Amino acid sequence: MGTRSKREVVNSDQGGPISSETRINERIRVPEVRLVGPNGEQVGIVRIEDALRLAQEADLDLVEVAPQARPPVAKLMDFGKFKYESAQKARDSRRNQHLTVIKEQKLRPKIDQHDYETKKGHVSRFLAAGNKVKVTIMFRGREQSRPELGFRLLQKLADDVTELGFVESSPKQDGRNMIMVLAPHKNVKPKAVKAEAPEA
């Protein structure tokens, strides 16, 4: 006899996310359910016909919240309102997450002092804004045989911006490049970056 694979649905009667496959009202095709009232009160195991009648009388939906339970758990609720509130909560939680952006700064191993100061300024600004910075040293030709030049430059940069950030990922050789990742200190509050004239 063939076995039906169980449907994986992440949900709970605690108001967790309900799958788009959630069955409601007449779509719940089981003889009985463990019924939960609109305020979370346990009603007990009732026949599906009685559960549907209670839902209709209360002007609510019967929603299957734990299909894997035996018998399945169903709750009386306003499904439309529930879906709307869940979407609002998900939106709010996304809005409250601080997105870590990784900026990139490229340097040459034999960079002159003026260019170095400019690049260091960019790195400092990125860190002050709460962003991580991936610093890449690009080697060309014979420079590839002198990785210590890139390593020293990255160490110098890390030391110069130590008040704003720390080395999250130590310098590593990656083909013709050497890469280091700097991250802002946790106590550095992101500053609003002033609008600047675009670089030439």
Side-chain angles (χ1 to χ4, degrees):
M1 123 181 136
T3 55
R4 283 188 306 174
S5 61
K6 287 184 185 174
R7 207 162 37 88
E8 299 268 337
V9 181
V10 182
N11 55 29
S12 74
D13 56 353
Q14 311 285 304
I18 285 192
S19 155
S20 55
E21 296 177 28
T22 299
R23 293 186 296 189
I24 66 170
N25 301 328
E26 286 75 16
R27 291 190 202 151
I28 304 172
R29 295 192 179 93
V30 290
E32 55 187 20
V33 293
R34 184 178 297 279
L35 188 62
V36 179
N39 300 312
E41 67 277 15
Q42 298 290 332
V43 177
I45 295 174
V46 299
R47 291 187 315 145
I48 190 67
E49 295 83 0
D50 296 334
L52 286 167
R53 183 175 46 75
L54 287 169
Q56 201 169 12
E57 285 170 3
D59 198 21
L60 292 169
D61 296 301
L62 183 66
V63 181
E64 190 179 52
V65 292
Q68 70 278 16
R70 291 290 172 265
V73 179
K75 186 173 182 180
L76 295 172
M77 66 168 83
D78 180 336
F79 190 54
K81 184 180 172 191
F82 172 81
K83 283 211 299 188
Y84 173 76
E85 286 173 354
S86 294
Q88 288 283 89
K89 278 183 198 162
R91 247 199 312 278
D92 289 345
S93 111
R94 278 198 302 271
R95 197 177 295 134
N96 294 335
Q97 282 174 352
H98 175 64
L99 243 62
T100 304
V101 179
I102 297 186
K103 300 285 189 177
E104 184 165 22
Q105 197 58 240
K106 295 183 176 177
L107 292 80
R108 297 294 316 285
K110 293 179 179 173
I111 190 169
D112 68 48
Q113 191 58 31
H114 177 266
D115 276 352
Y116 173 78
E117 291 299 329
T118 304
K119 302 276 188 180
K120 184 181 81 175
H122 294 329
V123 171
S124 298
R125 199 170 72 242
F126 294 148
L127 290 170
N131 298 316
K132 291 186 181 184
V133 188
K134 176 181 167 188
V135 186
T136 306
I137 303 280
M138 301 179 297
F139 296 98
R140 281 192 201 150
R142 292 184 185 176
E143 290 172 352
Q144 290 179 68
S145 63
R146 302 284 308 280
E148 70 278 4
L149 291 176
F151 186 79
R152 279 205 297 268
L153 183 58
L154 289 174
Q155 290 286 40
K156 174 175 163 52
L157 179 62
D159 290 343
D160 286 349
V161 298
T162 192
E163 285 183 13
L164 293 165
F166 63 96
V167 177
E168 185 183 72
S169 175
S170 301
K172 287 188 187 72
Q173 190 83 28
D174 179 18
R176 294 186 178 188
N177 300 330
M178 184 175 281
I179 293 165
M180 172 178 78
V181 177
L182 295 168
H185 291 304
K186 285 187 178 163
N187 57 358
V188 173
K189 290 202 171 99
K191 293 179 185 170
V193 179
K194 292 178 187 171
E196 298 181 8
E199 292 170 27

